[in-house]
Amino acid sequence: MAEAATLEDRPAAARAALLEVENLDVYYGASQILFGLGLAVGEGDTVALLGRNGAGKSTTFKAIAGIAPPRRGSVRLRGREMAGAAPHRIARAGIGYVPEDRQVFPEHSVEDNLLIGEKKGPTGKREWTLERVYDVFPILAGMKGRMAGRLSGGEQQMLTIARTLMGNPDLVLLDEPSEGLAPIIVAEIGKLIGTLREMGVTILMAEQNMHFCLAVATHAAVIDKGVVVYRDTIAGLRANREITDRYLSI
Ligand SMILES: Nc1ncnc2c1ncn2[C@@H]1O[C@H](COP(=O)(O)OP(=O)(O)O)[C@@H](O)[C@H]1O
Ligand SMILES: [Mg+2]
């Protein structure tokens, strides 16, 4: 029974929800993109926000990160309201955001890119150091001095994830980490996310690729036309053919 229970079925006190998003309405100009969107991410969870192209995944992340401020609704990190705060404040409060376009500083070395991201976490912790990053991302250790602009797409994806971790966030938002990468590189990124999960890093990742998420996520939220239509454990999603057929391209 516990295995099949949805997030909503569990008593709120049983899980420390690190991030709680409720009733989010987001507009671009006059057009509404998100409609009363809700989701939650528990400490240590890897939650996949799954949905087709145009469903509103990136907009959800931009709203959480403060780049597309919500018109209504709530974004709470450890109970603290973030909705309406400036992006740099939200980042400082502990939300690390890796956008879809994985921007690196192309004219700077890999190591400089990492140092640019270095800061203490919201509670002063410094879990992530250069040494730790090179340990977890050995591929970056081998190219410290290389200009970031010369890295492959997969290497740049790893570098942006690593740079975000250097800011010691409590929660990492990964927007389509597998997008546009060759299958062998996607597998590498998947392994890396699995390693981060085992280290206890809390992750919310947007994806269209369900198979990628089945292997690495613990929980899933399915978004369609700006609404979260389903929330469950990843095992629950896997078993639910109706939802996967209806909302996700396989
Ligand atoms: N800057 C923008 N201005 C107007 N509409 C936008 C903008 N960005 C995205 N949209 C629209 O918002 C919807 C959701 O987009 P997005 O959040 O990028 O979806 P996803 O990341 O799931 O592919 C789409 O219909 C898209 O066309
Ligand atoms: Mg997107």
Side-chain angles (χ1 to χ4, degrees):
M1 191 60 211
E3 177 66 17
T6 64
L7 285 176
E8 291 87 333
D9 290 333
R10 303 191 210 180
R15 297 171 52 79
L18 180 66
L19 179 78
E20 291 173 298
V21 175
E22 275 171 12
N23 289 320
L24 219 57
D25 285 354
V26 176
Y27 292 70
Y28 288 128
S31 56
Q32 187 168 2
I33 308 296
L34 303 184
F35 299 83
L37 183 133
L39 56 84
V41 181
E43 183 116 47
D45 286 351
T46 304
V47 179
L49 179 64
L50 280 154
R52 293 203 167 106
N53 195 21
K57 303 180 297 294
S58 295
T59 304
T60 301
F61 281 17
K62 286 177 189 161
I64 295 170
I67 292 154
R71 198 175 284 188
R72 265 184 297 278
S74 177
V75 174
R76 287 187 305 272
L77 183 72
R78 294 190 199 288
R80 254 180 80 198
E81 188 57 63
M82 297 285 134
H88 70 275
R89 290 201 180 278
I90 294 176
R92 209 182 305 147
I95 296 182
Y97 169 47
V98 181
E100 213 163 11
D101 51 6
R102 55 184 89 119
Q103 289 166 0
V104 296
F105 296 97
E107 308 283 311
H108 286 76
S109 68
V110 164
E111 185 148 301
D112 282 348
N113 268 268
L114 293 171
L115 291 172
I116 289 165
E118 183 177 39
K119 65 183 169 65
K120 281 186 282 191
T123 53
K125 69 176 174 169
R126 280 188 191 274
E127 279 179 9
W128 288 94
T129 56
L130 272 183
E131 199 184 6
R132 183 103 182 272
V133 160
Y134 288 144
D135 215 31
V136 176
F137 299 76
I139 191 166
L140 297 180
M143 45 180 73
K144 290 176 198 190
R146 197 174 304 173
M147 290 297 121
R150 309 200 121 189
L151 267 49
S152 70
E155 290 159 357
Q156 290 190 2
Q157 180 64 276
M158 295 200 192
L159 178 56
T160 48
I161 295 171
R163 189 183 63 209
T164 301
L165 291 169
M166 287 290 287
N168 290 289
D170 286 338
L171 167 71
V172 182
L173 307 177
L174 296 180
D175 197 353
E176 298 215 37
S178 79
E179 191 192 16
L181 300 177
I184 187 162
I185 311 298
V186 171
E188 286 289 315
I189 302 275
K191 249 177 33 198
L192 170 67
I193 294 172
T195 302
L196 296 177
R197 184 194 62 215
E198 269 147 41
M199 293 171 76
V201 179
T202 307
I203 297 172
L204 175 60
M205 61 173 178
E207 267 298 333
Q208 296 186 50
N209 181 340
M210 186 178 69
H211 289 292
F212 178 74
C213 294
L214 290 177
V216 295
T218 58
H219 295 76
V222 176
I223 181 171
D224 184 52
K225 301 192 184 84
V227 177
V228 166
V229 293
Y230 179 82
R231 288 202 246 168
D232 205 345
T233 60
I234 202 78
L237 174 70
R238 189 202 303 263
N240 195 323
R241 278 296 298 273
E242 199 197 319
I243 293 289
T244 57
D245 287 356
R246 193 144 135 215
Y247 297 112
L248 307 170
S249 26
I250 320 260

